Structure formats: structure tokens, C-alpha cells
Amino acid sequence: MIFSDKIAYSDKILFPKSGITKGKLIAYYEAIAADMLPYLKDRPLTLHRFPDGIEKKGFFQKNASDYFPDWIKTIEVKKQGGWVNHVICDCKETLIYLVGQGTISFHITLSRTDKLDYPDKLIFDLDPPNGSFCDVTKSAQILRSLLESELGLTSFPMLTGSSGIHLVVPLDRSDNFDSVRAFAKNIAHYTAKVYPEKFTAEIRKEKRKGRLFVDYLRNSYAQTAICPFSARAFENAPVAVPIGWDELQNGIKSAQAFTIDTISNRLKYKSNPWEDLFRNPYSLDGAISKLENLSEKKLV
DNA sequence: GACGTAC
DNA sequence: GTACGTCAACGCTTT
DNA sequence: AAAGCG
Ligand SMILES: [Mn+2]
Ligand SMILES: [Mn+2]
């Protein structure tokens, strides 16, 4: 079934240097929809639109436009001093319609619509200072090991398609955003304390001094992270890809290792590395006290 | 990208 | 009819 | 209160 029959400007080039048109992007999302929709379907959506291509200024969009067709599902989400009417993308038709709007990237909340104050994911967003992906992989392994061995938390990595990596820890939705963020913040500062030349938790760029920023702030109400399999607004249209730890240690050399052209081949021979993501979701109770003990030991 | 308004 | 301007996020931290 | 940041 083709849903792209009413799309305006399918031949418009959105990625000038790689020559990718809106039609090509639609073909990608048509093909990836079945893999992507499970991550999109029950979360408020934020669009990153580039109707005039990636070389022109794009914009984020949270509110559904007035003119969006009425078959597109939306949800009212409370914000400071008001409400935001987010799209819920729960089917291929909606996904393709939004690409038709010039959407290149899809960003999702860390909580689901039925319990918005309680995230089902904790995300460590590792933002490298200047490319150097090798540093990111090593740092990701260090953080993984801290979470796994010291705190008993299994994490799942994703190439963001931009420059960094996300480490995702599944949660059982017993901790609210403020608790989860406080925990993530403590870990970020702990890594910066133990590896002062490698990690930083500094929000201000000028204070990072070439170190990897452990961004714990994604873990906040109504804040977002790139959706698995979303394309990104960079030449060649790289995509966000869940990966296995073995792959990260071995072959992968870039956060943009896969594009809308190469991802399909990978999916053919690689089973889902995130198969067990929600098999064992955590409450953070145990990990919080373990981290307190760990931090005390380090302080003495 | 869609829409309203000016010419 | 065409051209052009306008609009399309938000929460947390730091200063 | 405003700027920086993602
Ligand atoms: Mn990032
Ligand atoms: Mn335009």
C-alpha cells in the first residue's frame, strides 16, 4: 500500500550534496515503518522539519498544525503555563504524511502517553566535543561497565546518526522524571570525578574543554531523544540505529555508520539487538543506594 | 509546507 | 495568478 | 529575568 499519493514536491531535493529527494525519504520511511512504529506509537512526538532542505534553516514542531487532517491522532500534554497538542504517530499513514510536511527527524519523549511523568527509559546521551568517535565508543564501554558491574543495570546502545551514542536503561515507571534525572546527574558527575580528562557533566560548552559531555538532561518531563530509525538532517541521511555492544567494540567507526540507503541491508542479516530492551525494566531503588556507597568510597 | 494578504 | 511574509519548542541549568 | 544548551 502506497500512502504517498498526495505528497507535495516529492522531487524536491532535501539533501543537496547527496541529491536525496523527499520522495527518496518517503520510500525509506515506508520501508522502515514496521521497525520504527513500535518506538513511536505511544509517545508524544516532536518533529524536526526542513521543508526547504537541510541547508536552509529547519525548525522543531511540537504542536500539530491546524490543517493536519483529522485522522491524525493527537494528545494534549501539560506544559508550564499551558498545553501542547502533540501528534501521536501510530501508523504508517501518519508517518508518511509528516515526511510530506518536510519532517526529516522524529524525536520522542522518554515516557509514554498513559504515564507521562514516569519515564520507561533512562538515557545517557554521550555528546563528543569534536567528532572523535573512537573516544565515544571507549567512553560508552566504561559507562556500560559502571552501570552493569557496579549498579546492576543493563544498558542498550544506539548510534544517534549524528555524532554520539545513547545508552538506554529500561525503567519500570516507578520513578518519576525528577528522581531519574537526579540519579543520571549523579552518575554523570561520578564519571567526571573518576575520569576527569575523559568525561564532563558541564552544561556550558566553554567548560567542557574537549571532554565528552554526559548529557543527563534528556531525562526530563516532555524532553525528547531521537527515535530509533529516524533519519537525521545531515548529508547522506544517516539514521539512528540500535546496535549491540559487540558491534560497537569491533567494526563501527562513526555515529553515522548507517544511512537510509544502507540500513535495509543491515536489517536483513542482523537480528534486533534491542530485542530484550523491555524484558527486565528497573526500579532505580537499588542502583541509587549502590551509587551512594560508591561515591562515598571515592570521596575518602 | 500551508496560509493570508497585497498587488 | 503570483509574490511575499509569517509561523512552526520546551525544560533545566547557569549566569 | 535571560541566556545557553540539546
Ligand atoms: Mn546527543
Ligand atoms: Mn517554503
Side-chain angles (χ1 to χ4, degrees), chain A residues 100-142:
Chain A
Q101 288 296 296
T103 306
I104 290 178
S105 299
F106 295 84
H107 298 254
I108 53 177
T109 57
L110 281 63
S111 60
R112 303 201 297 264
T113 53
D114 62 336
K115 206 173 178 184
L116 285 172
D117 290 310
Y118 293 80
D120 65 353
K121 300 167 179 167
L122 188 174
I123 297 182
F124 292 98
D125 171 17
L126 304 184
D127 290 337
N130 271 311
S132 186
F133 186 75
C134 179
D135 265 19
V136 190
T137 61
K138 288 204 183 89
S139 301
Q141 296 282 0
I142 291 172

Side-chain angles (χ1 to χ4, degrees), chain A residues 6-27:
Chain A
K6 287 183 197 150
I7 299 297
Y9 315 116
S10 274
D11 292 333
K12 189 169 191 174
I13 292 176
L14 297 182
F15 302 75
K17 295 197 171 64
S18 36
I20 298 168
T21 61
K22 189 198 278 187
K24 280 281 294 179
L25 192 61
I26 285 172

Side-chain angles (χ1 to χ4, degrees), chain A residues 122-247:
Chain A
L122 188 174
I123 297 182
F124 292 98
D125 171 17
L126 304 184
D127 290 337
N130 271 311
S132 186
F133 186 75
C134 179
D135 265 19
V136 190
T137 61
K138 288 204 183 89
S139 301
Q141 296 282 0
I142 291 172
L143 181 52
R144 174 206 186 188
S145 166
L146 166 66
L147 292 168
E148 186 81 52
S149 311
E150 308 287 345
L151 306 174
L153 301 173
T154 298
S155 58
F156 297 76
M158 176 171 77
L159 303 177
T160 63
S162 176
S163 65
I165 293 174
H166 287 180
L167 293 202
V168 181
V169 177
L171 301 177
D172 68 0
R173 306 203 285 179
S174 63
D175 300 287
N176 65 21
F177 272 109
D178 289 347
S179 309
V180 172
R181 186 176 62 259
F183 174 69
K185 178 179 182 176
N186 287 342
I187 291 187
H189 282 283
Y190 180 80
T191 61
K193 185 150 199 110
V194 180
Y195 306 92
E197 24 356 84
K198 195 178 270 301
F199 295 100
T200 179
E202 292 288 352
I203 291 166
R204 298 282 162 146
K205 282 182 165 181
E206 64 188 34
K207 292 192 173 181
R208 293 184 199 164
K209 304 278 180 55
R211 294 167 294 183
L212 181 79
F213 175 43
V214 183
D215 181 5
Y216 57 90
L217 287 164
R218 298 310 87 222
N219 304 285
S220 303
Y221 174 82
Q223 295 308 288
T224 65
I226 192 69
C227 182
F229 302 112
S230 174
R232 307 304 301 269
F234 301 102
E235 285 299 343
N236 302 305
V239 299
V241 186
I243 52 170
W245 284 107
D246 54 325
E247 300 177 89

Side-chain angles (χ1 to χ4, degrees), chain A residues 63-65 68-76 85-88:
Chain A
N63 279 289
S65 299
F68 282 7
D70 57 14
W71 48 265
I72 286 185
K73 194 180 290 180
T74 62
I75 183 180
E76 293 284 346
N85 186 224
H86 282 263
V87 168
I88 301 292

